[in-house]
Amino acid sequence: MFASPARPVRARLLARALLLGCAAWPAAVIAAPAAEGSAADAVARGEGVLTGTVTQGGSGEYLDGASVSIPALRLETAADRSGRYTLTGIPAGTFEVVVRYVGFPDLRRQVTIGAEAQTLDVALTPAAESEGEEIVVRGSRPIAESEAAALQLQRTSPALVSVIASDSVGRLPDQNVAQAVSRLPGVGVQRDQGQARYINLRGAPINWTTLSFDGINVVSPEGRDARFDSIPSAIASQIVVRKAVTPDMTGETIAGNVDIITRSAFDYPGFRGQAKGGVGHVELGKKTEYEAYLVLSDRFQTGIGEFGIVSSGSIYRRGMVTDNFETDFEAVDRDQRPGFADRIWARETENKLYRLTRKNYSLSSRLDFRPNDGNSRLFAETIYSAFQDDEQRNNYIFDLDDQQSRVPNGTAACTVNATPAAGTTGYADVCTGNTPLAGTVYGIDLNSNFLVRAYKQSVFTNTVGGDHELGDWTVKWRGNYSRSIDDRSAPGQLNYDSPGFGTNGANAGNRLTVGYDLTDPQLAKVQLFRTIRNANGTFSRGARVTAIEDFPRTLTRLRSLKAKDVTEAYTAKLDVTREMELFATPVTFAGGVRYDDRTKTSREYAIDTTNISTLGVATGYDAIATTGGFQGEIPLGYTFQYFDRDKLLALVDKAKAVLPYSFVRANYYKVQEKVYSAYAMATVTTGWGNVIGGARVEHIRNDSAAFANTTPIDVKSEQTLVYPSLHLNWDVNQQMKARLSFNTGAARPDYDQLRPNLTFNDANLTISGGNPEAKPEKAKGVDLYVEYYTMPRGFLSVGVFYKDVTDVLFDSVGTFGRTTLNIGGVDRSQYQYATITNGGDGYILGLEAAIQQQLDPFVADLDLPDWMGGFGVQLNATLNKSRATTLPVGVVPARKVPLPGASDAVYNLIGYYEKYGFSARVSYQNRSPWLDAIGSFDNVGGVVRGVDGGDFYWAKDDELDASLRYAITPNIEVYADFANLLNGPGRRYVRSSRYTIEHETFGRRYTGGVRVTF
């Protein structure tokens, strides 16, 4: 249809170029004389050079980010991940070298610099401050050590970052990256089935935060709304959250970037292995969970240089059930009685009762090569990570507004009479005593939806690259190919419906009467009754029914879906830096170019029929029912039978013999994006800190293709955007830093939002529409932070931030209300319709504060026993205020609303204890309600109001987790994790908190196991 014959050629050319580059660099480096290295060049020019490594005494671990300086000369550098550092431009003489790392006393050494390069290798220990002192090696303290590593990287970073380092990635029950990052300052998460999925950084919308692996941006399977639950935390060596946007970062990074730093064999002195295995219990449904990972790393010295290889694998598997109820509300235009303008009625209430198995797994491998001259490093890396749900869903929908057209439309006040008028059901009828949240409706439809879903998201990313020191120049190049797949397939879906209503309700006796009570936002209650049709055409309720299978239902629709969204991305980038002095001031110039080519294609193939009689399949539910009681705990008000997966799919297989899969033309789209970018920036180092300034320019080309009925549509657009930024970092003293940042960015609409068509999802009863004319959100921001570092691992940070945004993008959700997509005999007019639109201007203003401190430094001064030194805290909070203006549409005026995803408050409280090989942590997270989506507003019954009640919000979310660890030996540790201890709901509401539209709970989880290093 819209296949691009150039794409395979482009892919092959890029792959060949990258492989040739990877192969050519070792040959060039081996052939070149050693004098071409930066240290050798400096010596040749008569400049002194100091090199070496910084390690931790006793363990030999490299101290990434350790600061090495010669204060008298205002020269300073930071050790890399291999602990290596180089200082050049040193005049002849004897100088004091100071090595600093959070958690260790400063180490000072006298070094004499001459004509030859000098080497100074240092090992930092907590007790040794200078030569000659006794070195004391203490027991491993993973929490303290990882805190120190994180603070060191934050302290030496030229821009504002938050870091999860080393062992902290796995110190709490954090199976995915989103959950691990959620414990950092300014980070809020959105969850699915109780598992962290999306990240709201400092209250910003989720599409303002980008995802990268080792500095290479990766497109999530869903697109720009980066999903972090498909990335197991075990894959990461470090996680760096970059909050200050510098010119070397892509322009679509507005709030920040989450960079997953993967492991390299050169991170370790030699052979290294890590393994973890555990098993656990899921309280709700009495299910089991498993987790395991293995990491192996080694280095090999050869005649031409050193090779390093590291490989890892991880898996997490959990059985689940879900306690769920959902209610959809609407403004009813036929309800004209006094007070109608403030009423929204529950048009349907339902239970989605899940049985599912959730899995996260990953495989990765990285090969590094460092030639003998030590001035180059080449690598090739491949990562595969996946998130998978194998789901079975019993979905019971009580269609309260099934006969809405029969609602009496009188305008006068009325005397309450519990019996509705003849032929009417009582829906939205205050004259029967019904209210939007409590009442009785008669003779309505029961829509039973049974779904088998095979949902999988995966990311496959491959990178080759090199870092080269060529005199005063440093050259870095990267080439990447990524393939992200969002597999939304649903192998089987069956719908069973009640018999028709009949003329004036003649068949209503075969339908159900529902007593509903939605007054408790935490529980929707229903009672089911027989329907009695009286002689005068009115209805009343008969005997109560508790088994939902007692109501007659017939198979009315069979569906099988193969759906897959595939995003292929090619990236090539080149970065060059040059260090020099300008007016006796050290300056580092940096520049680079980058090319991104991304294509997202969505295809669906379906069997979808309501003509059941031609399939030769059984039409009663007993054909797929299985024995066994409800596995959840929510009081449903009725009993039901689960369906058997194999029996359901057997019916679908019979249908496949009659009906072939058809290409769903209406749901096809293809969006291609090409981005040509370049940046230039300079870092000026002064006696008081540094200044970073520069700009990035990006030229974006979009090509969107789809179908309108059978007619192909192709929409092209292009634009050029410029992003300047300026960052000032002031070292007030050795403990305090102040950071001021001015930055810009633009969040582009997502790929599916740029498609030029409408698509529908019959399994979820939704329609979504693209808008190829949607413009990027343009942001200008300022950050002001003060950081204070106390010995040995204390940290205090306070900051304010402000972003001014134009062309704010809003997700708009409402009832479709049109018959345009009523094809194949399916009425889609009442489906939920979601689209994207630009609004007016907006802003977000926030305050962020963080503190962490261990009691250990104060034990002696407070005359406390030594064991109390193991206590520590990590506290952080973010307060936000945001506003954005929606555009006026027809009779609907502009409105002021919060930015989507912005909670007024997000905070984390973590307390821990670590001593004598034992460690324990308790973590509490809380975020206040936030806007999920803008509702559809219109003139309903003569009043402008929310068609579906108003705007949609997520309710407050709080989580409590805990973990215990004990080191049996330095290499063997046993652990116990306790997750979701509060068992709080994931809850959404419309208009105000009393109108719950979704409520789910998932149960507490307990896991134990062993962790081994060797």
Side-chain angles (χ1 to χ4, degrees), residues 323-328 346-354 393-400 446-449 514 516 518 524-526 548 634 636 638 763-765 832 988 996-1000:
D323 279 344
N324 163 282
F325 71 84
E326 299 184 19
T327 302
D328 292 335
R347 66 180 181 88
E348 65 182 33
T349 188
E350 64 181 299
N351 293 104
K352 292 180 180 176
L353 306 171
Y354 298 87
R393 185 197 303 174
N394 282 57
N395 189 188
Y396 299 103
I397 303 172
F398 305 103
D399 195 356
L400 306 181
L446 169 62
N447 178 2
S448 303
N449 181 353
V514 176
Y516 63 95
L518 313 176
K525 303 172 185 176
V526 294
I548 207 165
I634 189 173
L636 295 174
Y638 57 89
N764 294 328
L765 309 179
Q832 289 288 292
R988 292 191 303 141
T996 297
I997 59 174
E998 181 179 10
H999 186 289
E1000 291 183 318

Short mmCIF file of all heavy atoms in Angstrom, two decimals, residues 323-328 346-354 393-400 446-449 514 516 518 524-526 548 634 636 638 763-765 832 988 996-1000:
data_model
loop_
_atom_site.label_atom_id
_atom_site.label_comp_id
_atom_site.label_asym_id
_atom_site.label_seq_id
_atom_site.Cartn_x
_atom_site.Cartn_y
_atom_site.Cartn_z
N ASP A 323 -9.59 -6.75 40.84
CA ASP A 323 -10.93 -6.34 41.28
C ASP A 323 -11.24 -5.00 40.61
O ASP A 323 -10.54 -4.01 40.84
CB ASP A 323 -10.96 -6.19 42.79
CG ASP A 323 -11.14 -7.53 43.49
OD1 ASP A 323 -11.54 -8.49 42.82
OD2 ASP A 323 -10.89 -7.61 44.70
N ASN A 324 -12.30 -4.97 39.81
CA ASN A 324 -12.55 -3.80 38.97
C ASN A 324 -14.03 -3.45 38.92
O ASN A 324 -14.89 -4.33 38.90
CB ASN A 324 -12.04 -4.08 37.55
CG ASN A 324 -12.59 -3.13 36.51
OD1 ASN A 324 -13.74 -3.26 36.07
ND2 ASN A 324 -11.79 -2.17 36.10
N PHE A 325 -14.30 -2.14 38.92
CA PHE A 325 -15.59 -1.66 38.42
C PHE A 325 -15.36 -0.36 37.67
O PHE A 325 -14.44 0.39 37.97
CB PHE A 325 -16.63 -1.48 39.54
CG PHE A 325 -16.37 -0.33 40.48
CD1 PHE A 325 -16.77 0.97 40.16
CD2 PHE A 325 -15.75 -0.54 41.70
CE1 PHE A 325 -16.56 2.03 41.03
CE2 PHE A 325 -15.54 0.52 42.58
CZ PHE A 325 -15.93 1.81 42.25
N GLU A 326 -16.18 -0.12 36.66
CA GLU A 326 -16.09 1.09 35.85
C GLU A 326 -17.50 1.62 35.59
O GLU A 326 -18.45 0.84 35.46
CB GLU A 326 -15.38 0.82 34.52
CG GLU A 326 -13.95 0.33 34.69
CD GLU A 326 -13.22 0.15 33.36
OE1 GLU A 326 -13.68 0.73 32.36
OE2 GLU A 326 -12.21 -0.56 33.34
N THR A 327 -17.60 2.93 35.55
CA THR A 327 -18.89 3.58 35.27
C THR A 327 -18.66 4.74 34.32
O THR A 327 -17.72 5.52 34.49
CB THR A 327 -19.53 4.11 36.57
OG1 THR A 327 -19.71 3.03 37.49
CG2 THR A 327 -20.88 4.75 36.29
N ASP A 328 -19.48 4.82 33.29
CA ASP A 328 -19.43 5.95 32.36
C ASP A 328 -20.64 6.85 32.60
O ASP A 328 -21.77 6.37 32.75
CB ASP A 328 -19.44 5.46 30.90
CG ASP A 328 -18.17 4.73 30.54
OD1 ASP A 328 -17.13 5.00 31.17
OD2 ASP A 328 -18.20 3.89 29.63
N ALA A 346 -25.25 8.02 35.20
CA ALA A 346 -24.45 6.84 34.88
C ALA A 346 -25.11 6.11 33.72
O ALA A 346 -26.19 5.52 33.89
CB ALA A 346 -24.35 5.93 36.10
N ARG A 347 -24.50 6.16 32.57
CA ARG A 347 -25.13 5.53 31.40
C ARG A 347 -24.85 4.03 31.35
O ARG A 347 -25.59 3.27 30.74
CB ARG A 347 -24.70 6.20 30.10
CG ARG A 347 -23.24 6.07 29.73
CD ARG A 347 -22.98 6.80 28.41
NE ARG A 347 -21.60 6.70 27.97
CZ ARG A 347 -21.12 5.71 27.23
NH1 ARG A 347 -21.93 4.72 26.86
NH2 ARG A 347 -19.87 5.69 26.86
N GLU A 348 -23.75 3.60 31.98
CA GLU A 348 -23.50 2.17 32.12
C GLU A 348 -22.53 1.95 33.28
O GLU A 348 -21.70 2.81 33.58
CB GLU A 348 -22.95 1.55 30.84
CG GLU A 348 -21.58 2.05 30.42
CD GLU A 348 -21.10 1.42 29.12
OE1 GLU A 348 -21.95 1.13 28.26
OE2 GLU A 348 -19.88 1.24 28.97
N THR A 349 -22.65 0.82 33.93
CA THR A 349 -21.68 0.43 34.94
C THR A 349 -21.29 -1.01 34.65
O THR A 349 -22.11 -1.79 34.13
CB THR A 349 -22.23 0.60 36.37
OG1 THR A 349 -21.18 0.37 37.31
CG2 THR A 349 -23.39 -0.33 36.65
N GLU A 350 -20.05 -1.36 34.94
CA GLU A 350 -19.55 -2.65 34.50
C GLU A 350 -18.45 -3.16 35.41
O GLU A 350 -17.88 -2.42 36.21
CB GLU A 350 -19.01 -2.55 33.06
CG GLU A 350 -17.79 -1.63 32.94
CD GLU A 350 -17.29 -1.51 31.52
OE1 GLU A 350 -16.90 -2.55 30.94
OE2 GLU A 350 -17.28 -0.40 30.98
N ASN A 351 -18.15 -4.45 35.26
CA ASN A 351 -16.99 -5.07 35.88
C ASN A 351 -16.13 -5.71 34.79
O ASN A 351 -16.65 -6.45 33.94
CB ASN A 351 -17.41 -6.15 36.87
CG ASN A 351 -18.14 -5.59 38.08
OD1 ASN A 351 -19.35 -5.70 38.18
ND2 ASN A 351 -17.39 -4.98 38.98
N LYS A 352 -14.84 -5.40 34.83
CA LYS A 352 -13.86 -6.09 33.99
C LYS A 352 -13.05 -6.98 34.92
O LYS A 352 -12.27 -6.48 35.74
CB LYS A 352 -12.94 -5.10 33.28
CG LYS A 352 -13.63 -4.26 32.21
CD LYS A 352 -12.64 -3.30 31.56
CE LYS A 352 -13.33 -2.46 30.49
NZ LYS A 352 -12.41 -1.46 29.89
N LEU A 353 -13.25 -8.27 34.81
CA LEU A 353 -12.67 -9.23 35.75
C LEU A 353 -11.55 -9.97 35.03
O LEU A 353 -11.79 -10.86 34.21
CB LEU A 353 -13.75 -10.17 36.26
CG LEU A 353 -14.96 -9.41 36.86
CD1 LEU A 353 -16.11 -10.34 37.15
CD2 LEU A 353 -14.54 -8.65 38.11
N TYR A 354 -10.31 -9.56 35.33
CA TYR A 354 -9.14 -10.04 34.61
C TYR A 354 -8.55 -11.29 35.27
O TYR A 354 -8.47 -11.40 36.49
CB TYR A 354 -8.04 -8.98 34.60
CG TYR A 354 -8.38 -7.69 33.91
CD1 TYR A 354 -9.01 -6.65 34.60
CD2 TYR A 354 -8.04 -7.48 32.58
CE1 TYR A 354 -9.29 -5.45 33.98
CE2 TYR A 354 -8.32 -6.28 31.95
CZ TYR A 354 -8.95 -5.26 32.66
OH TYR A 354 -9.22 -4.07 32.04
N ARG A 393 -10.43 -11.92 29.97
CA ARG A 393 -11.26 -10.89 30.61
C ARG A 393 -12.74 -11.23 30.48
O ARG A 393 -13.27 -11.34 29.38
CB ARG A 393 -11.00 -9.53 29.96
CG ARG A 393 -11.74 -8.38 30.63
CD ARG A 393 -11.81 -7.15 29.73
NE ARG A 393 -10.50 -6.69 29.32
CZ ARG A 393 -10.31 -5.70 28.43
NH1 ARG A 393 -11.35 -5.09 27.88
NH2 ARG A 393 -9.09 -5.35 28.08
N ASN A 394 -13.40 -11.41 31.64
CA ASN A 394 -14.86 -11.47 31.69
C ASN A 394 -15.35 -10.05 31.94
O ASN A 394 -15.05 -9.46 32.97
CB ASN A 394 -15.34 -12.37 32.83
CG ASN A 394 -15.25 -13.84 32.51
OD1 ASN A 394 -14.18 -14.33 32.18
ND2 ASN A 394 -16.37 -14.55 32.63
N ASN A 395 -16.13 -9.52 31.02
CA ASN A 395 -16.56 -8.12 31.08
C ASN A 395 -18.09 -8.09 31.05
O ASN A 395 -18.70 -8.51 30.06
CB ASN A 395 -15.96 -7.37 29.89
CG ASN A 395 -16.15 -5.87 29.95
OD1 ASN A 395 -15.86 -5.18 29.00
ND2 ASN A 395 -16.64 -5.34 31.07
N TYR A 396 -18.69 -7.61 32.15
CA TYR A 396 -20.15 -7.53 32.24
C TYR A 396 -20.57 -6.07 32.29
O TYR A 396 -20.24 -5.35 33.24
CB TYR A 396 -20.65 -8.29 33.47
CG TYR A 396 -20.30 -9.75 33.44
CD1 TYR A 396 -19.26 -10.26 34.20
CD2 TYR A 396 -21.01 -10.63 32.62
CE1 TYR A 396 -18.92 -11.60 34.16
CE2 TYR A 396 -20.69 -11.98 32.57
CZ TYR A 396 -19.64 -12.46 33.33
OH TYR A 396 -19.31 -13.80 33.28
N ILE A 397 -21.30 -5.64 31.25
CA ILE A 397 -21.70 -4.24 31.11
C ILE A 397 -23.22 -4.15 31.31
O ILE A 397 -23.99 -4.77 30.56
CB ILE A 397 -21.32 -3.69 29.72
CG1 ILE A 397 -19.81 -3.84 29.48
CG2 ILE A 397 -21.74 -2.23 29.59
CD1 ILE A 397 -19.38 -3.49 28.07
N PHE A 398 -23.63 -3.38 32.31
CA PHE A 398 -25.06 -3.14 32.57
C PHE A 398 -25.41 -1.82 31.88
O PHE A 398 -25.05 -0.74 32.35
CB PHE A 398 -25.32 -3.09 34.07
CG PHE A 398 -24.83 -4.34 34.77
CD1 PHE A 398 -23.65 -4.32 35.50
CD2 PHE A 398 -25.53 -5.52 34.66
CE1 PHE A 398 -23.19 -5.47 36.13
CE2 PHE A 398 -25.07 -6.69 35.29
CZ PHE A 398 -23.90 -6.66 36.02
N ASP A 399 -26.10 -1.95 30.78
CA ASP A 399 -26.33 -0.83 29.86
C ASP A 399 -27.53 -0.01 30.34
O ASP A 399 -28.65 -0.13 29.83
CB ASP A 399 -26.57 -1.38 28.45
CG ASP A 399 -26.45 -0.31 27.38
OD1 ASP A 399 -26.26 0.86 27.75
OD2 ASP A 399 -26.55 -0.66 26.20
N LEU A 400 -27.29 0.87 31.32
CA LEU A 400 -28.39 1.58 31.98
C LEU A 400 -29.15 2.49 31.03
O LEU A 400 -30.36 2.70 31.17
CB LEU A 400 -27.85 2.40 33.16
CG LEU A 400 -27.02 1.62 34.20
CD1 LEU A 400 -26.57 2.55 35.32
CD2 LEU A 400 -27.82 0.45 34.77
N LEU A 446 -27.95 -6.60 29.05
CA LEU A 446 -26.70 -7.05 29.63
C LEU A 446 -25.76 -7.41 28.49
O LEU A 446 -26.02 -8.35 27.73
CB LEU A 446 -26.93 -8.26 30.54
CG LEU A 446 -25.67 -9.01 31.02
CD1 LEU A 446 -24.78 -8.10 31.86
CD2 LEU A 446 -26.05 -10.27 31.79
N ASN A 447 -24.69 -6.65 28.38
CA ASN A 447 -23.69 -6.92 27.33
C ASN A 447 -22.54 -7.65 27.99
O ASN A 447 -21.82 -7.08 28.81
CB ASN A 447 -23.24 -5.60 26.70
CG ASN A 447 -22.17 -5.80 25.64
OD1 ASN A 447 -21.77 -6.92 25.34
ND2 ASN A 447 -21.69 -4.71 25.07
N SER A 448 -22.34 -8.91 27.63
CA SER A 448 -21.26 -9.72 28.19
C SER A 448 -20.17 -9.87 27.14
O SER A 448 -20.42 -10.36 26.03
CB SER A 448 -21.78 -11.10 28.60
OG SER A 448 -22.84 -10.96 29.51
N ASN A 449 -18.98 -9.44 27.49
CA ASN A 449 -17.87 -9.38 26.54
C ASN A 449 -16.75 -10.26 27.10
O ASN A 449 -16.23 -10.00 28.19
CB ASN A 449 -17.41 -7.92 26.41
CG ASN A 449 -16.27 -7.73 25.43
OD1 ASN A 449 -15.71 -8.69 24.92
ND2 ASN A 449 -15.93 -6.48 25.20
N VAL A 514 -31.97 -3.61 37.13
CA VAL A 514 -30.76 -3.36 37.92
C VAL A 514 -31.04 -2.29 38.96
O VAL A 514 -31.51 -1.19 38.64
CB VAL A 514 -29.59 -2.91 37.02
CG1 VAL A 514 -28.37 -2.56 37.87
CG2 VAL A 514 -29.23 -4.00 36.02
N TYR A 516 -28.98 0.09 41.20
CA TYR A 516 -27.59 0.56 41.23
C TYR A 516 -27.39 1.54 42.38
O TYR A 516 -28.27 2.34 42.71
CB TYR A 516 -27.20 1.21 39.90
CG TYR A 516 -27.98 2.45 39.54
CD1 TYR A 516 -27.50 3.73 39.85
CD2 TYR A 516 -29.21 2.36 38.89
CE1 TYR A 516 -28.23 4.87 39.53
CE2 TYR A 516 -29.94 3.48 38.56
CZ TYR A 516 -29.45 4.74 38.88
OH TYR A 516 -30.16 5.88 38.57
N LEU A 518 -24.16 3.95 43.42
CA LEU A 518 -22.80 4.41 43.12
C LEU A 518 -22.37 5.52 44.07
O LEU A 518 -21.45 6.28 43.78
CB LEU A 518 -22.74 4.94 41.67
CG LEU A 518 -23.38 4.03 40.60
CD1 LEU A 518 -23.32 4.72 39.24
CD2 LEU A 518 -22.69 2.69 40.55
N ALA A 524 -18.90 0.37 43.41
CA ALA A 524 -20.17 0.45 42.68
C ALA A 524 -20.96 -0.81 42.99
O ALA A 524 -20.50 -1.93 42.74
CB ALA A 524 -19.91 0.56 41.18
N LYS A 525 -22.16 -0.64 43.55
CA LYS A 525 -22.98 -1.78 43.95
C LYS A 525 -24.14 -1.96 42.98
O LYS A 525 -24.78 -0.98 42.59
CB LYS A 525 -23.54 -1.57 45.36
CG LYS A 525 -22.47 -1.33 46.43
CD LYS A 525 -23.11 -0.94 47.76
CE LYS A 525 -22.07 -0.57 48.79
NZ LYS A 525 -22.68 -0.08 50.06
N VAL A 526 -24.37 -3.20 42.60
CA VAL A 526 -25.52 -3.51 41.76
C VAL A 526 -26.26 -4.71 42.34
O VAL A 526 -25.64 -5.60 42.93
CB VAL A 526 -25.13 -3.81 40.29
CG1 VAL A 526 -24.55 -2.58 39.62
CG2 VAL A 526 -24.16 -4.98 40.19
N ILE A 548 -25.51 -14.61 37.29
CA ILE A 548 -25.72 -13.83 36.07
C ILE A 548 -26.04 -14.73 34.88
O ILE A 548 -26.69 -14.30 33.92
CB ILE A 548 -24.48 -12.95 35.80
CG1 ILE A 548 -24.90 -11.70 35.01
CG2 ILE A 548 -23.38 -13.72 35.09
CD1 ILE A 548 -23.86 -10.60 35.01
N ILE A 634 -13.78 -8.43 45.43
CA ILE A 634 -14.75 -7.34 45.39
C ILE A 634 -16.16 -7.91 45.49
O ILE A 634 -16.49 -8.92 44.86
CB ILE A 634 -14.58 -6.52 44.10
CG1 ILE A 634 -15.43 -5.26 44.15
CG2 ILE A 634 -14.88 -7.34 42.87
CD1 ILE A 634 -15.16 -4.32 42.97
N LEU A 636 -19.40 -8.31 44.22
CA LEU A 636 -19.99 -7.98 42.92
C LEU A 636 -21.49 -7.77 42.98
O LEU A 636 -22.05 -7.02 42.19
CB LEU A 636 -19.68 -9.10 41.91
CG LEU A 636 -18.20 -9.31 41.54
CD1 LEU A 636 -18.07 -10.54 40.65
CD2 LEU A 636 -17.64 -8.08 40.84
N TYR A 638 -23.35 -10.39 42.38
CA TYR A 638 -23.80 -11.50 41.54
C TYR A 638 -22.65 -12.50 41.44
O TYR A 638 -21.49 -12.18 41.72
CB TYR A 638 -24.22 -11.02 40.15
CG TYR A 638 -23.14 -10.28 39.40
CD1 TYR A 638 -22.22 -10.94 38.59
CD2 TYR A 638 -23.03 -8.89 39.50
CE1 TYR A 638 -21.23 -10.25 37.91
CE2 TYR A 638 -22.04 -8.19 38.81
CZ TYR A 638 -21.14 -8.88 38.02
OH TYR A 638 -20.16 -8.19 37.35
N ALA A 763 -12.75 -3.96 20.66
CA ALA A 763 -12.57 -4.66 21.93
C ALA A 763 -12.72 -3.70 23.10
O ALA A 763 -13.30 -4.04 24.14
CB ALA A 763 -11.19 -5.32 21.97
N ASN A 764 -12.22 -2.48 22.94
CA ASN A 764 -12.29 -1.48 24.01
C ASN A 764 -13.40 -0.46 23.81
O ASN A 764 -13.55 0.47 24.61
CB ASN A 764 -10.95 -0.75 24.14
CG ASN A 764 -9.85 -1.67 24.60
OD1 ASN A 764 -10.10 -2.60 25.35
ND2 ASN A 764 -8.63 -1.41 24.17
N LEU A 765 -14.16 -0.58 22.72
CA LEU A 765 -15.27 0.33 22.42
C LEU A 765 -14.77 1.78 22.32
O LEU A 765 -15.34 2.70 22.90
CB LEU A 765 -16.38 0.22 23.47
CG LEU A 765 -16.89 -1.19 23.77
CD1 LEU A 765 -17.98 -1.14 24.84
CD2 LEU A 765 -17.41 -1.88 22.51
N GLN A 832 -16.22 5.72 22.90
CA GLN A 832 -15.45 6.85 23.39
C GLN A 832 -14.49 7.32 22.29
O GLN A 832 -13.75 6.52 21.71
CB GLN A 832 -14.64 6.46 24.63
CG GLN A 832 -15.50 6.24 25.87
CD GLN A 832 -16.04 7.55 26.42
OE1 GLN A 832 -15.30 8.38 26.91
NE2 GLN A 832 -17.34 7.72 26.32
N ARG A 988 -9.92 6.51 38.66
CA ARG A 988 -10.14 7.70 37.84
C ARG A 988 -11.57 8.20 38.09
O ARG A 988 -12.46 7.43 38.41
CB ARG A 988 -9.95 7.39 36.36
CG ARG A 988 -8.52 7.07 35.97
CD ARG A 988 -8.34 7.04 34.46
NE ARG A 988 -9.24 6.09 33.81
CZ ARG A 988 -9.85 6.31 32.65
NH1 ARG A 988 -9.71 7.47 32.02
NH2 ARG A 988 -10.64 5.39 32.12
N THR A 996 -16.73 8.31 40.20
CA THR A 996 -15.69 7.35 39.83
C THR A 996 -16.02 6.72 38.48
O THR A 996 -17.13 6.22 38.27
CB THR A 996 -15.56 6.25 40.90
OG1 THR A 996 -15.15 6.84 42.13
CG2 THR A 996 -14.54 5.21 40.48
N ILE A 997 -15.06 6.72 37.58
CA ILE A 997 -15.25 6.06 36.29
C ILE A 997 -14.44 4.78 36.17
O ILE A 997 -14.71 3.94 35.31
CB ILE A 997 -14.93 6.99 35.10
CG1 ILE A 997 -13.48 7.47 35.16
CG2 ILE A 997 -15.90 8.16 35.05
CD1 ILE A 997 -13.07 8.27 33.93
N GLU A 998 -13.43 4.61 37.03
CA GLU A 998 -12.65 3.37 37.01
C GLU A 998 -12.04 3.17 38.39
O GLU A 998 -11.51 4.10 39.00
CB GLU A 998 -11.55 3.41 35.96
CG GLU A 998 -10.73 2.13 35.88
CD GLU A 998 -9.66 2.18 34.80
OE1 GLU A 998 -9.43 3.27 34.24
OE2 GLU A 998 -9.06 1.13 34.53
N HIS A 999 -12.09 1.93 38.89
CA HIS A 999 -11.56 1.61 40.21
C HIS A 999 -11.01 0.18 40.13
O HIS A 999 -11.75 -0.76 39.84
CB HIS A 999 -12.68 1.71 41.26
CG HIS A 999 -12.22 1.54 42.68
ND1 HIS A 999 -11.82 0.32 43.18
CD2 HIS A 999 -12.12 2.43 43.70
CE1 HIS A 999 -11.50 0.46 44.46
NE2 HIS A 999 -11.67 1.74 44.81
N GLU A 1000 -9.71 0.03 40.41
CA GLU A 1000 -9.09 -1.28 40.34
C GLU A 1000 -8.17 -1.48 41.54
O GLU A 1000 -7.47 -0.56 41.95
CB GLU A 1000 -8.26 -1.45 39.07
CG GLU A 1000 -9.06 -1.52 37.78
CD GLU A 1000 -8.19 -1.76 36.57
OE1 GLU A 1000 -7.10 -1.16 36.49
OE2 GLU A 1000 -8.59 -2.57 35.71
#
